[in-house]
Amino acid sequence: GQNIDQPTEMTATEGAIVQINCTYQTSGFNGLFWYQQHAGEAPTFLSYNVLDGLEEKGRFSSFLSRSKGYSYLLLKELQMKDSASYLCAVISNDYKLSFGAGTTVTVRA
Amino acid sequence: IAGITQAPTSQILAAGRRMTLRCTQDMRHNAMYWYRQDLGLGLRLIHYSNTAGTTGKGEVPDGYSVSRANTDDFPLTLASAVPSQTSVYFCASSDGQGATDTQYFGPGTRLTVL
C-alpha cells in the first residue's frame, strides 16, 4: 500500500518562506509530484522530482531524498495568491499517482 | 484549447438513482483517470484508462463503472448512487508515457447524494 504524510495546515506571513514536508512509504518509486489546488478549483502541476536534490522554479523549489522517503516544497516571497492546498503525490511502479491529503497554506498580510 | 471539461459542475442526486459524470479532453492524451476528493483523505483513484478501449480499477472502484470508447471521452457512471458517494469528482488526463507523465485535471464535479 501507499502511505504519504504531510501536515494538514500551515500559516505564514506575506513575504515570508514556508516549507511543506512530505514523507512517503510506497510500493516502488518512480517520482514525486507537487500540485497546487486553490479552493474550489482543480489541482495544477507545480513540480516533479525523480532524482535526489533540489529543483528550483522561480519562487517555488522542490527537494527529494529517495533514501529517506522525504520531499519538501519551499515557497519563497509568499504572496496572498499562494494561499491554497499543496498536494504531494508519488508515482509508483504501476505508474499510478497516490496522493497525500494535502497541506492548506494560509498567507496572512 | 479547452483542455479537460467536466459536466455537470454540480449535482444533487437522490439515493438509488443512476448518474453519469462526463469528461472530455481535447489534448489527444492517451491516458485518462477519475478521482474522488474527500476532506482529509486527498485524491483517490477510482478508475483509469491507459488508452482507448481499455480500462482498469483504481483504489476505490466499487459502485462505479467507466468506458473509453474513444480517445477524448471518459464517462463515469454510478449505477445506483449512495450517500457515501457524495464527493468532488475530478477527471484527469496525461500523455501516458510512464513515470514522468504529468496529469492535467478538469474543473471537477461536486456531487451530493441524499
Side-chain angles (χ1 to χ4, degrees):
Chain A
Q2 324 296 359
N3 188 22
I4 301 169
D5 291 318
Q6 49 183 131
T8 303
E9 294 180 334
M10 302 183 75
T11 301
T13 305
E14 197 174 14
I17 298 173
V18 68
Q19 177 174 314
I20 306 169
N21 296 325
C22 173
T23 59
Y24 63 88
Q25 291 177 304
T26 58
S27 53
F29 180 84
N30 276 305
L32 187 144
F33 289 82
W34 284 97
Y35 280 81
Q36 180 190 58
Q37 185 178 23
H38 285 100
E41 297 183 7
T44 56
F45 169 78
L46 283 179
S47 68
Y48 171 74
N49 293 70
V50 66
L51 300 176
D52 285 356
L54 188 68
E55 296 276 346
E56 296 186 84
K57 194 182 293 186
R59 293 189 299 113
F60 293 2
S61 303
S62 56
F63 172 83
L64 176 68
S65 169
R66 294 181 64 153
S67 62
K68 295 182 179 178
Y70 168 71
S71 172
Y72 67 73
L73 180 69
L74 194 69
L75 285 63
K76 295 179 279 190
E77 301 169 19
L78 279 172
Q79 302 176 10
M80 299 300 289
K81 67 179 181 180
D82 297 330
S83 291
S85 288
Y86 293 85
L87 314 179
C88 175
V90 172
I91 189 161
S92 53
N93 285 343
D94 62 358
Y95 299 129
K96 298 298 174 288
L97 272 181
S98 296
F99 285 84
T103 299
T104 300
V105 172
T106 302
V107 181
R108 294 190 172 155
Chain B
I1 297 177
I4 303 179
T5 58
Q6 293 184 235
T9 302
S10 64
Q11 182 75 44
I12 298 174
L13 189 66
R17 297 297 296 270
R18 181 184 179 89
M19 177 73 191
T20 295
L21 307 184
R22 300 185 297 279
C23 175
T24 299
Q25 54 103 359
D26 63 3
M27 297 178 283
R28 306 305 293 171
H29 281 169
N30 287 315
M32 297 187 75
Y33 313 84
W34 274 106
Y35 294 88
R36 59 178 291 172
Q37 187 173 38
D38 302 289
L39 195 63
L41 294 179
L43 286 156
R44 292 180 293 167
L45 182 66
I46 304 171
H47 284 288
Y48 65 92
S49 168
N50 288 329
T51 189
T54 69
T55 62
K57 294 182 179 180
E59 181 185 353
V60 288
D62 294 343
Y64 305 94
S65 64
V66 291
S67 61
R68 186 87 184 278
N70 58 61
T71 297
D72 298 344
D73 301 301
F74 192 42
L76 176 74
T77 298
L78 290 68
S80 179
V82 295
S84 62
Q85 291 177 311
T86 294
S87 187
V88 181
Y89 291 86
F90 287 100
C91 179
S93 72
S94 68
D95 279 341
Q97 298 303 311
T100 59
D101 199 21
T102 299
Q103 294 186 19
Y104 298 90
F105 287 80
T109 294
R110 184 174 296 275
L111 181 68
T112 302
V113 182
L114 301 176

